[in-house]
């Protein structure tokens, strides 16, 4: 089962290799899950938190793809916050749990950007790196043999509204150079423990 928009390159890649249901973009309920009884659930670009009741039906078999280097920049707009708070940009594949991007890490990769990148081009590169990491990791995920490690140390978490005070820094929208926003939020970083849950 795939959670996220149908135009996701991750969904397209899986569709060529696995039996897949239609992508789910609405909140996933127990009845919908049980109607398909999927072996694995992959989430990419999904806008909803999966309830503990649904997660309990297949513990450890819900996988999320995130364009942040966890435990930093969980939640919304991870690409923006990696520059605004000067934290490591990267991508992570992790087990979904009841928190917001707080589950055990399966694989992750740091990504380095040059000074000419914009928020848009850096986002595209992160998505490409995430797809490559997923393709390389999928056989182990599929077989259930991938190692996993808990998140540890301080991280950060953001909601969609957290970006609003910095909208004026996006002088060209998402085409704003990353150099224009580097460090703009350092005076008020949202550092939290990886096990904490935030709405």
């Amino acid at each position: 089962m795939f959670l996220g928009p149908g135009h996701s390159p991750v969904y397209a890649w899986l569709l060529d290799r696995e039996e897949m249901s239609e992508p789910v973009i609405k909140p996933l309920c127990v009845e919908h899950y049980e109607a398909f009884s999927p072996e694995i659930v992959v989430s990419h670009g999904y806008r909803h938190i999966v309830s503990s009741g649904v997660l309990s039906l297949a513990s450890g078999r819900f996988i999320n793809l995130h364009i942040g280097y966890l435990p930093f920049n969980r939640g919304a707009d991870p690409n923006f916050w990696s520059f605004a708070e000067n934290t490591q940009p990267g991508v992570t594949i992790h087990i979904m749990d009841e928190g917001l991007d707080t589950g055990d890490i399966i694989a992750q990769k740091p990504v380095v950007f040059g000074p000419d990148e914009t928020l848009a081009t850096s986002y595209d590169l992160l998505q490409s790196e995430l797809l490559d990491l997923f393709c390389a990791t999928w056989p182990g995920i599929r077989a259930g043999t991938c190692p996993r490690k808990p998140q540890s140390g301080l991280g950060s978490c953001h909601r969609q509204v957290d970006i609003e005070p910095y909208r004026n820094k996006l002088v060209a929208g998402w085409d704003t150079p990353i150099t224009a926003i580097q460090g703009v939020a350092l005076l008020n970083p949202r550092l939290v423990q990886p096990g904490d849950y935030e709405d």
Side-chain angles (χ1 to χ4, degrees), residues 28-168:
L28 181 63
C29 64
V30 170
E31 293 76 16
H32 192 173
Y33 176 87
E34 289 181 335
F36 290 94
S37 296
E39 295 178 55
I40 302 174
V41 179
V42 176
S43 170
H44 176 236
Y46 188 58
R47 298 292 184 178
H48 308 283
I49 294 174
V50 179
S51 71
S52 58
V54 175
L55 290 173
S56 67
L57 298 173
S59 180
R61 302 298 276 173
F62 284 78
I63 311 299
N64 187 50
L65 282 64
H66 184 67
I67 57 166
Y69 196 77
L70 299 177
F72 289 101
N73 306 313
R74 303 197 307 269
D77 303 306
N79 186 35
F80 170 85
W81 292 109
S82 69
F83 302 118
E85 294 181 339
N86 284 347
T87 54
Q88 174 65 60
V91 295
T92 304
I93 300 172
H94 67 95
I95 302 292
M96 294 176 72
D97 63 11
E98 295 178 29
L100 186 59
D101 299 322
T102 57
D104 290 354
I105 293 171
I106 294 173
Q108 60 184 166
K109 180 182 179 181
V111 178
V112 177
F113 297 106
D116 296 332
E117 299 283 357
T118 67
L119 284 171
T121 61
S122 59
Y123 175 89
D124 290 343
L125 181 55
L126 286 169
Q127 291 290 356
S128 177
E129 293 284 358
L130 185 58
L131 178 61
D132 289 347
L133 184 63
F134 178 74
C135 294
T137 311
W138 176 244
I141 294 173
R142 186 75 173 83
T145 58
C146 276
R148 47 191 280 188
K149 63 177 183 179
Q151 297 183 40
S152 61
L154 285 177
S156 58
C157 183
H158 302 92
R159 300 163 297 173
Q160 287 183 334
V161 297
D162 293 340
I163 199 173
E164 293 307 320
Y166 305 99
R167 287 281 182 193
N168 63 329

